[in-house]
Amino acid sequence: RTILPRSLGRESPAKAKEAGAALGTRDAAAPWMATLLALDEEMADEDVNRLVVLVTDLQRRDWSEDVLADVDALLRRPATVRIIDVGGTKRRNLAVATVATPQRRDAFVGRPLRVTATVENHGSEVVEGARVSVYLDEGETVLDTVVLPAIAAVDPLTGEPGQESATLDLPGPAFRDPGSHVLRVEVAPPPDDPAADGLALDSRREFAFTVRDRIRVVAWTRTSAKADLSADVYLRGVFERSWEDDEGRRVERNPLYELRTVATQSALLDAIKGGNGERADLVVLANIVPPRSALDRLRAFVAGGGALLVFVGDKVSAPSALNEAFYDDEATRLLPYRFLDPEAPGPSAGGTVPAFTLDLTPASTHPLAAPFTGEVAEGWIGLMPPRILRRMTFAG
């Protein structure tokens, strides 16, 4: 019956094509009578430009006189019916079975993207040299092409098609605009064997996705007992996209990030999982060590490509708790070195106790380092300087 709702918004065409391409092939008799009756029920009076496409190998056992009569009745609804004949004495077919991004990675403006496609061979002969190409939106420019090695034939015992995977790399300049986009992956038969693909309908698959322009940051924080400002205030200064100046004007600070703060462990884990449809890219823990029940989820998050940033504080001043959470297990450690005991500033030659200072010198071009270095960071810290009572260094 209905595979997709009647309305899906901007991604409706891509989702419809994606669902159609996902339908498999089989040798069982086609229930055209039931299919056409169900299709008739799906149509609404307000539908216009009705188009029905029937893909069939025109076997006699499928097309009885009763079925032909129902097709005729359907035509009087009115509707346009197109029949695609895929029959023949020797059926050979290549299909794009799946398209995916490794580890559910999202696309970003100006950043390259890798996708993997699975191609199936539904024919009884091995196919060598099939070409897999990828396009963006409705464009005809090939962004990448891969020539596949031999794709095995259908297993005569199980009927399972032969499979081969293709890795396609899309260049960063292809993604200029944020928003909804569609990748189109197509497989073409070898130039010297065009008959290897007798059905064009499943030779392409469309993959709807969103190109983003900001990194999603989720922060779980606790405020120090002696702090004048909450940890959230400092994080907003670093990660919020814009702020209001003294005259009430919005000022761009950092267009790369989108900050959300959470108050509970369950909310943090939901953000890691992407329960609201927006999976976090960076998790910030400020003055808090998550309980053991959440650590496995955090480790899996990092192993899957997520980033983790940890700030220490008076509520996690014991290095043993940090080391146990992030270092002691060699197989799952998230720190390069162990934390050492906290240090207080020592007396200077004049007998005074100098305060610790923050080094904001840019030492990396990585985008995650940008909010913590340079003029923007210096300006924000200058407005609201934190009090640093002690520091905790790494061993080594």
Side-chain angles (χ1 to χ4, degrees):
R1 297 307 297 267
T2 302
I3 298 177
L4 294 172
R6 296 177 67 85
S7 176
L8 285 174
R10 292 179 298 176
E11 299 178 354
S12 295
K15 289 295 186 182
K17 293 177 182 178
E18 197 174 319
L23 298 176
T25 57
R26 60 179 184 174
D27 292 327
W32 285 113
M33 175 73 78
T35 300
L36 294 172
L37 291 175
L39 180 61
D40 183 75
E41 294 176 4
E42 293 287 346
M43 290 185 179
D45 293 337
E46 62 270 20
D47 290 338
V48 294
N49 300 324
R50 299 186 186 97
L51 173 62
V52 179
V53 180
L54 306 178
V55 182
T56 174
D57 56 6
L58 290 176
Q59 293 190 54
R60 182 181 297 274
R61 63 176 179 173
D62 300 334
W63 291 96
S64 64
E65 292 183 3
D66 292 337
V67 173
L68 291 173
D70 273 289
V71 172
D72 186 60
L74 188 62
L75 282 169
R76 291 196 297 266
R77 187 160 176 90
T80 299
V81 177
R82 292 180 183 173
I83 297 179
I84 299 178
D85 178 10
V86 295
T89 57
K90 190 175 184 181
R91 300 184 182 90
R92 303 179 68 193
N93 181 41
L94 300 176
V96 180
T98 63
V99 177
T101 54
Q103 297 178 335
R104 297 190 301 162
R105 182 183 172 188
D106 291 338
F108 284 85
V109 170
R111 306 292 295 179
L113 180 69
R114 171 168 291 182
V115 298
T116 58
T118 303
V119 176
E120 294 181 344
N121 177 14
H122 293 271
S124 57
E125 300 177 8
V126 174
V127 176
E128 297 186 24
R131 291 167 296 133
V132 182
S133 302
V134 61
Y135 307 80
L136 182 62
D137 295 327
E138 299 298 325
E140 295 302 323
T141 301
V142 178
L143 298 181
D144 194 17
T145 297
V146 173
V147 178
L148 294 177
I151 311 176
V154 168
D155 188 316
L157 297 179
T158 65
E160 292 295 320
Q163 288 188 344
E164 190 67 40
S165 294
T167 299
L168 301 155
D169 291 306
L170 286 73
F175 304 112
R176 296 189 297 270
D177 303 312
S180 298
H181 293 271
V182 177
L183 287 180
R184 185 175 80 254
V185 177
E186 299 183 358
V187 60
D192 57 352
D193 187 15
D197 191 11
L199 175 60
L201 182 68
D202 58 0
S203 298
R204 65 168 59 188
R205 178 177 286 272
E206 299 197 350
F207 178 71
F209 68 108
T210 299
V211 175
R212 294 163 47 198
D213 61 348
R214 282 181 281 176
I215 295 173
R216 300 187 188 115
V217 181
V218 174
W220 186 18
T221 70
R222 286 193 297 184
T223 301
S224 297
K226 299 181 180 180
D228 298 323
L229 297 172
S230 69
D232 290 355
V233 172
Y234 288 104
L235 290 177
R236 287 200 299 272
V238 170
F239 288 115
E240 277 194 341
R241 181 168 185 165
S242 62
W243 66 316
E244 288 190 4
D245 63 12
D246 294 338
E247 299 180 5
R249 294 173 300 189
R250 301 296 293 180
V251 179
E252 276 293 300
R253 174 183 287 116
N254 195 334
L256 187 61
Y257 295 92
E258 182 178 277
L259 175 66
R260 180 162 64 97
T261 58
V262 296
T264 64
Q265 174 186 324
S266 60
L268 175 72
L269 296 182
D270 188 61
I272 293 174
K273 183 181 178 182
N276 61 348
E278 295 187 350
R279 183 171 178 262
D281 304 303
L282 168 63
V283 169
V284 178
L285 301 176
N287 205 17
I288 192 168
V289 176
R292 187 180 301 273
S293 57
L295 282 174
D296 288 341
R297 298 279 294 277
L298 277 171
R299 294 188 184 108
F301 167 75
V302 174
L308 177 64
L309 184 61
V310 178
F311 291 98
V312 298
D314 62 342
K315 298 184 183 300
V316 289
S317 58
S320 58
L322 292 164
N323 290 328
E324 181 181 355
F326 301 116
Y327 182 82
D328 287 350
D329 189 338
E330 185 176 354
T332 60
R333 65 175 47 155
L334 298 176
L335 287 174
Y337 306 103
R338 291 179 59 84
F339 276 109
L340 297 177
D341 290 333
E343 298 176 353
S348 63
T352 61
V353 179
F356 289 124
T357 59
L358 295 174
D359 182 5
L360 303 178
T361 305
S364 172
T365 59
H366 194 284
L368 287 180
F372 302 96
T373 60
E375 295 180 358
V376 173
E378 288 177 357
W380 182 247
I381 294 300
L383 287 173
M384 300 181 179
R387 290 197 302 163
I388 305 176
L389 304 178
R390 293 188 299 173
R391 71 179 180 183
M392 196 178 298
T393 60
F394 287 124

